[in-house]
Amino acid sequence: MDNNLTTTTLAEMKELVRTLNEAAYAYYVEDNEIMSNFEYDRLYDRLSALEAETGTVLPDSPTKSAGAGYKAVSKLEKSEHEFPALSLDKTKDRYALPAWLGGMDGVLSWKLDGLTVVLTYEGGMLQKAVTRGSGTVGEVVTHNAVHFGGVPKRIRFKGKLIIRGEAVMKYADFEEVNRRIPETEAKYKNPRNLASATVRLLDSKEAAERPVTVMAFDLVYIDDGRGIRDANSKNAQYEWLEGQGFSVVPHTLVTPLTVVSELERFERQLPENEFPTDGLVLILDDEAYGRSLGSTGKFPRNGIAFKWQDEAVESRIREIEWSASRTGLLNPVAIFDPVEIEGTTVSRASVHNVSIARALRLGKGSRVSVYKANLIIPQIAETIESTGETPIPENCPVCGGATSVHENEGIETLYCENPDCPAKHVGRFTHFVSRDAMNIVGLSEATLETFIDAGFVRKFADLYRLERFRDNIVTLEGFGVRSYENLQAAVAASRSVKFSALLNAAGIPGIGKDMAKQISRFLGTDAYGRFTGLIAERFDFSAVSGIGEVINDNIYEWADDVSRFEEFKELAGLLDISDDVRSVRADGDNDVQASSGAISPIEGKTFVITGALNGFSNRDKMVEFIEERGGKVSGSVSSKTDYLINNDVNSGSGKNKKAKELGVPVISEEEFMKLAASPVYDPGR
Ligand SMILES: [Zn+2]
């Protein structure tokens, strides 16, 4: 793959990485310069060139930001900012923004929710990283900053440069870090708390283990801006910073005409944002003009923050619903009096797990405040007044089986312990309603899961008795009276069913659509009655063409599971079952109903397989394929053999010789597949 990566190149890259890291360690950790800047840059450029050429970056390469060696400090030093940071004025009115721009262009960007750090570079090296602190005095966190994403330790620009960036942590990483914290210790409330705590850690080794990224949002000072295409443009400054290796906050250039639509584009991205945000920032693109506006004393006039309304609204807990999932996990969902937030009515919010449910003390009637995180996801902000503990059910709401609380890395979760819980077998139900089975049109997997989790559906027959839950169903989110009626019509239509479809729906291992047809045709008229009758007699189904011992065993394993077989019979009692294909009977009545689906071209044919296979992963798979289509596979070539399958058609093997003697065609796997696919293709004849 890496054609350019020869052993010599790799050895050179390793040596460069080692030398550069040693120098960086001496510089940052020991405050000792063992190499001139000129020499460091020469080696660094050579390494960058090799990395570009080979497409390989060694894990501890200094061109990535990690790997500068670790440093622990006894306390964080204070440092005064050369350029004090002011905070921006805010608005919640998006339509005020075009007028605010006053005919000028602006740069619109996320207002990231983390901790602001100020980075100072000199001579192409990171000199200092200081937290924003009070705005005039912050804390020195250089030892940690060198390990954060988006902070290059060295940049090409050699003058003095000061930038501000926001140290942030992804939601996913926040959850991961919190999971590792034992229950007995305090967990971080949100990604901002965690990012802030990480930036200010005394031991940089610990900081390096937490994925923090710094995103630049302000070029504060540059002593020689000639390298920037248009040094007076904020937008051009951002591009230049990206070119220097910084991560820059996502941003876009706007005019008074486009600012609202661009704002709405950001708004649509909110649900997918990996990083927490706290609104948007609009800054005048023309820096000199912006600076000339000065400040109001409190706020600079060149920028404004936009915030979405996310006020918490008060509501009252009605109940806690425990929604089941396929793993048996039961998730608490708070159901509260419907309230209007950000233009929609909200009445439920996930409470995530038992630990959080307990901490919130969500007894029935508790007063809570509810908000929409990032405008989208309803959350319980806090319990204003609790009426008591959150009830934790002892029985699964789906199957009534016993529940138990599991503890993993300090987080408590509730599980249903019943292996037969329908919630764990959603797949059986999805198969049951699918097109070649009961064909209940429009009953999606998501809806099935909802019905099962809510306890409306525990067994197949329950799908034909949904009217018992009509009132609950029509009030489900996204499920009105119309959807309910459409569903009931589809359920009613599915009651007329061919026996083969019903048999397929039963979900007996190995009996799919084709095999079910095979059995149904064998049974002939009154297929359902004959089927149950034959099972009672313990008839050997391997007499059916295409059925082997394994499938026969599967049938009896299923039928001997009383609950399964009873479920099947109960279901059958609610249906109008027709025979799809009749068997060959003594009266010569062997008309095959044309509508019942095509017969496979290999049905009734006997095959012998020999030699290595290319298309099928193994011989069993091919046997299964043939049997499913009503064919048979035998071990030796005889006059009853229709085809010998051998990819080495001209081999001198015993089976090939025998086949030739008997006039049995020898076909390749490829020819076999053509034969299986086409009723008219007839290889070897
Ligand atoms: Zn259960």
Side-chain angles (χ1 to χ4, degrees):
M1 221 162 56
D2 293 319
N3 291 328
N4 300 322
L5 190 60
T6 64
T7 324
T8 5
T9 320
L10 189 64
E12 187 187 349
M13 286 170 73
K14 278 183 181 165
E15 182 58 22
L16 284 167
V17 167
R18 195 188 60 78
T19 315
L20 288 165
N21 282 345
E22 230 173 61
Y25 186 85
Y27 186 91
Y28 284 107
V29 183
E30 296 164 346
D31 290 323
N32 183 18
E33 210 168 320
I34 59 169
M35 188 186 288
S36 71
N37 271 359
F38 177 82
E39 177 65 2
Y40 187 100
D41 283 354
R42 195 182 63 78
L43 298 179
Y44 187 96
D45 289 349
R46 170 71 184 149
L47 178 63
S48 303
L50 289 174
E51 285 176 350
E53 194 182 304
T54 59
T56 305
V57 179
L58 295 173
D60 50 352
S61 167
T63 63
K64 307 206 307 179
S65 56
Y70 302 118
K71 185 181 183 179
V73 297
S74 53
K75 70 181 188 58
L76 298 176
E77 298 292 334
K78 295 269 193 274
S79 173
E80 198 167 324
H81 291 297
E82 267 182 78
F83 301 89
L86 294 172
S87 43
L88 294 175
D89 200 1
K90 301 180 188 59
T91 181
K92 286 186 174 180
D93 180 6
R94 67 190 62 187
Y95 302 105
L97 298 178
W100 182 88
L101 280 169
M104 310 287 288
D105 288 348
V107 180
L108 188 66
S109 65
W110 287 117
K111 187 174 191 297
L112 296 166
D113 194 14
L115 183 75
T116 301
V117 290
V118 181
L119 307 173
T120 304
Y121 287 79
E122 258 176 302
M125 307 270 291
L126 173 66
Q127 296 291 329
K128 199 161 66 170
V130 180
T131 63
R132 180 183 181 281
S134 67
T136 48
V137 177
E139 291 169 319
V140 180
V141 292
T142 322
H143 63 297
N144 292 333
V146 293
H147 299 287
F148 296 154
V151 181
K153 290 194 302 294
R154 299 181 71 86
I155 56 174
R156 285 184 198 285
F157 177 72
K158 296 294 181 271
K160 181 165 176 178
L161 173 73
I162 303 177
I163 66 153
R164 291 198 188 106
E166 194 79 353
V168 285
M169 193 171 243
K170 287 182 186 172
Y171 285 112
D173 293 326
F174 159 71
E175 273 155 28
E176 177 60 34
V177 172
N178 247 357
R179 214 178 4 251
R180 294 198 301 248
I181 297 175
E183 188 65 9
T184 47
E185 288 171 35
K187 293 181 185 285
Y188 293 97
K189 272 177 76 180
N190 54 45
R192 175 169 41 79
N193 292 145
L194 180 54
S196 168
T198 306
V199 168
R200 303 178 62 254
L201 281 168
L202 297 176
D203 182 358
S204 77
K205 190 169 197 318
E206 223 180 301
E209 281 164 9
R210 298 185 185 172
V212 167
T213 300
V214 175
M215 292 209 203
F217 65 83
D218 193 14
L219 192 162
V220 181
Y221 173 84
I222 185 162
D223 64 1
D224 173 10
R226 277 178 298 174
I228 307 179
R229 185 170 49 78
D230 175 6
N232 192 43
S233 155
K234 285 277 180 195
N235 198 49
Q237 289 174 4
Y238 279 169
E239 274 173 28
W240 181 83
L241 285 173
E242 268 167 0
Q244 293 292 319
F246 292 96
S247 293
V248 174
V249 62
H251 59 278
T252 185
L253 196 61
V254 296
T255 68
L257 284 177
T258 61
V259 64
V260 173
S261 61
E262 287 295 328
L263 181 150
E264 280 159 4
R265 201 168 55 81
F266 275 98
E267 193 167 83
R268 285 193 293 276
Q269 289 167 12
L270 271 173
E272 282 99 51
N273 259 1
E274 288 186 304
F275 289 101
T277 55
D278 185 26
L280 298 170
V281 170
L282 180 62
I283 297 228
L284 292 176
D285 186 51
D286 186 331
E287 180 159 51
Y289 175 74
R291 207 177 292 132
S292 75
L293 296 174
S295 67
T296 62
K298 200 170 169 206
F299 303 118
R301 287 200 175 97
N302 70 327
I304 190 161
F306 170 80
K307 291 220 174 209
W308 280 283
Q309 325 245 355
D310 55 356
E311 286 124 311
V313 176
E314 207 183 303
S315 185
R316 215 172 262 278
I317 295 290
R318 288 185 174 179
E319 60 174 319
I320 304 297
E321 213 175 77
W322 293 81
S323 113
S325 70
R326 285 182 203 201
T327 55
L329 177 67
L330 300 167
N331 285 306
V333 179
I335 313 295
F336 42 85
D337 293 344
V339 282
E340 185 96 355
I341 311 178
E342 317 284 358
T344 57
T345 305
V346 180
S347 62
R348 44 198 295 139
S350 170
V351 193
H352 307 292
N353 55 51
V354 170
S355 300
I356 295 175
R358 280 198 173 130
L360 284 169
R361 296 177 36 92
L362 299 172
K364 191 175 174 186
S366 294
R367 277 168 56 217
V368 290
S369 70
V370 184
Y371 71 107
K372 272 196 197 166
N374 271 332
L375 291 178
I376 306 292
I377 308 150
Q379 297 278 296
I380 305 280
E382 59 175 335
T383 308
I384 300 167
E385 191 191 331
S386 170
T387 59
E389 303 294 324
T390 309
I392 314 288
E394 282 172 11
N395 297 93
C396 169
V398 175
C399 68
T403 64
S404 69
V405 173
H406 292 201
E407 200 214 284
N408 185 24
E409 311 213 12
I411 301 278
E412 286 185 325
T413 42
L414 194 66
Y415 278 86
C416 166
E417 296 295 337
N418 173 14
D420 293 324
C421 181
K424 299 180 185 178
H425 302 283
V426 176
R428 279 180 62 222
F429 289 89
T430 4
H431 170 73
F432 181 81
V433 303
S434 66
R435 198 173 56 102
D436 293 322
M438 295 309 293
N439 192 22
I440 304 183
V441 181
L443 185 48
S444 71
E445 184 163 17
T447 305
L448 270 173
E449 260 191 273
T450 307
F451 286 3
I452 291 168
D453 296 351
F456 304 159
V457 173
R458 295 181 182 191
K459 41 193 182 174
F460 293 148
D462 292 339
L463 285 165
Y464 293 89
R465 297 189 286 238
L466 284 173
E467 58 281 356
R468 296 179 298 165
F469 299 104
R470 184 193 180 279
D471 293 347
N472 307 62
I473 293 171
V474 295
T475 55
L476 286 175
E477 255 174 40
F479 216 96
V481 173
R482 170 79 67 86
S483 312
Y484 171 81
E485 279 166 2
N486 287 345
L487 174 63
Q488 283 298 59
V491 167
S494 77
R495 281 180 199 262
S496 305
V497 64
K498 290 276 198 284
F499 177 72
S500 66
L502 172 63
L503 188 58
N504 178 23
I508 303 168
I511 301 191
K513 171 184 141 192
D514 293 326
M515 190 70 85
K517 272 189 186 140
Q518 192 74 18
I519 293 171
S520 187
R521 279 200 290 265
F522 173 84
L523 297 168
T525 49
D526 184 24
Y528 171 73
R530 276 178 45 98
F531 181 67
T532 48
L534 288 176
I535 282 181
E537 291 167 21
R538 302 208 72 86
F539 174 77
D540 183 356
F541 283 91
S542 60
V544 180
S545 165
I547 287 200
E549 234 171 79
V550 175
I551 303 278
N552 186 60
D553 288 349
N554 289 349
I555 292 174
Y556 283 102
E557 204 172 302
W558 168 80
D560 291 342
D561 179 339
V562 178
S563 66
R564 285 281 149 86
F565 196 39
E566 287 306 316
E567 182 181 9
F568 180 73
K569 288 195 275 193
E570 183 187 0
L571 167 71
L574 299 168
L575 304 173
D576 171 19
I577 305 163
S578 59
D579 305 319
D580 33 354
V581 177
R582 276 170 276 168
S583 68
V584 181
R585 287 288 173 79
D587 57 7
D589 175 12
N590 65 347
D591 57 329
V592 172
Q593 290 179 6
S595 67
S596 65
I599 298 170
S600 169
I602 58 177
E603 186 189 352
K605 300 278 194 295
T606 301
F607 297 86
V608 173
I609 309 167
T610 188
L613 297 174
N614 310 320
F616 288 91
S617 56
N618 59 50
R619 195 167 293 183
D620 287 349
K621 288 273 184 282
M622 191 173 204
V623 172
E624 200 179 301
F625 179 92
I626 293 169
E627 286 182 352
E628 271 176 10
R629 283 156 186 76
K632 259 190 172 162
V633 177
S634 75
S636 55
V637 178
S638 72
S639 58
K640 288 181 186 155
T641 308
D642 291 292
Y643 296 98
L644 172 64
I645 302 167
N646 186 351
N647 280 321
D648 186 358
V649 176
N650 299 314
S651 95
S653 76
K655 283 184 176 137
N656 267 26
K657 276 186 195 155
K658 187 84 188 274
K660 286 209 177 99
E661 278 169 29
L662 296 168
V664 173
V666 183
I667 61 172
S668 69
E669 220 177 331
E670 196 182 330
E671 287 169 314
F672 164 77
M673 289 312 291
K674 285 188 196 163
L675 168 71
S678 160
V680 290
Y681 184 74
D682 190 5
R685 295 217 165 163

